[in-house]
């Protein structure tokens, strides 16, 4: 039981490049989330999903897209990376309303 | 909109001393409240959660928190700090609607000194 895993762990992009971050969970959770963590700002919700085939915007969705084609996977895409997207990205999942969210180990992204 | 305020971005205590990390929330309905801990270069781990049962919630590693509706607070305490408690702590609030989106505070970094 691996929990929540994220791929890759580190990535460096040049401005304008694109990439996809992969989140996978093996706990059969319905809900999945993408957050970004920046110093002094806590974690902020980018996008989330309440089930396979559904996605919704969070607090800071601009510049990101997501897809949830399979229940266990939640992909976060950056179409044209900007230096402002330099951050640590965390994926999380939860079973249902009110239950705890389980977090992955994070992906550290640097955009130069 | 919900919000969470954590007073003190850095707290330093001596080993064996009381740990008190403050969290105040704003929510229009009774919320779910959580404390998470983040060790360096790791993800977040749940310490404890309040979901409208007992107002005093006990968590892992000797931590506990008390929900006080009249003060809209959910402060985290531990009677005796240990060096291994040094980490960043996040308070978060979730509404009771679908998806249970979390709104996080800005975090408090706890330093434990000898």
């Amino acid at each position: 039981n691996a929990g929540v895993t994220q791929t890759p762990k580190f990535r460096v992009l040049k401005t304008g490049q694109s990439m996809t971050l992969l989140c996978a969970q093996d706990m059969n959770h319905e809900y999945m989330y993408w957050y970004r963590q920046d110093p002094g700002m806590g974690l902020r919700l980018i996008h989330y999903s309440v089930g396979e085939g559904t996605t919704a915007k969070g607090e800071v969705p601009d510049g990101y897209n997501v897809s949830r084609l399979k229940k266990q996977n939640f992909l976060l895409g950056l179409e044209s990376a900007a230096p402002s997207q330099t951050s640590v990205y965390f994926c999380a999942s939860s079973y249902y309303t009110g239950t705890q969210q389980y977090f992955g180990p994070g992906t550290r992204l640097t955009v130069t | 909109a919900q919000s969470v305020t954590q007073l003190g971005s850095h707290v330093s205590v001596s080993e064996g001393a009381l740990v008190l990390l403050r969290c105040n929330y704003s929510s229009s309905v009774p919320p779910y409240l959580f404390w998470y801990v983040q060790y360096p270069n790791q993800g977040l781990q749940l310490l404890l959660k309040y979901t409208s049962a007992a107002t005093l919630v006990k968590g892992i590693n000797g931590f506990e928190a008390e929900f006080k509706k009249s003060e809209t607070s959910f402060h985290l305490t531990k009677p005796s700090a240990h060096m291994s408690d040094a980490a960043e702590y996040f308070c978060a609030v979730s509404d009771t609607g679908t998806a249970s989106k979390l709104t996080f505070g800005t975090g408090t970094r706890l330093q434990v000194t000898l």
Side-chain angles (χ1 to χ4, degrees), chain A residues 6-24:
Chain A
Q6 293 182 233
T7 308
K9 288 184 169 52
F10 302 93
R11 186 72 186 268
V12 178
L13 288 179
K14 294 186 187 301
T15 297
Q17 288 184 321
S18 63
M19 76 162 294
T20 300
L21 306 184
L22 171 63
C23 175

Side-chain angles (χ1 to χ4, degrees), chain B residues 51-113:
Chain B
T51 56
S52 76
T55 56
L56 183 62
V57 182
K58 293 188 184 298
I60 62 171
N61 301 337
F63 284 94
E64 62 181 37
E66 186 172 8
F67 173 69
K68 292 187 176 180
K69 185 177 179 181
S70 61
E71 299 177 7
T72 60
S73 68
F74 191 56
H75 302 330
L76 182 70
T77 61
K78 182 174 180 178
S80 177
H82 191 271
M83 295 295 289
S84 61
D85 295 326
E88 189 153 23
Y89 293 80
F90 292 94
C91 182
V93 62
S94 168
D95 62 31
T96 55
T98 305
S100 291
K101 294 172 289 180
L102 288 177
T103 299
F104 284 87
T106 52
T108 297
R109 185 167 298 279
L110 176 66
Q111 180 183 22
V112 182
T113 59

Side-chain angles (χ1 to χ4, degrees), chain A residues 33 37 48 90 97-98 100-101, chain B residues 32 36 38 46 90 99-100:
Chain A
Y33 313 83
Q37 183 179 26
Y48 64 98
F90 287 99
T97 300
Q100 71 174 87
Q101 292 185 16
Chain B
Y32 298 127
Y36 283 87
Q38 184 180 33
L46 182 71
F90 292 94
S100 291

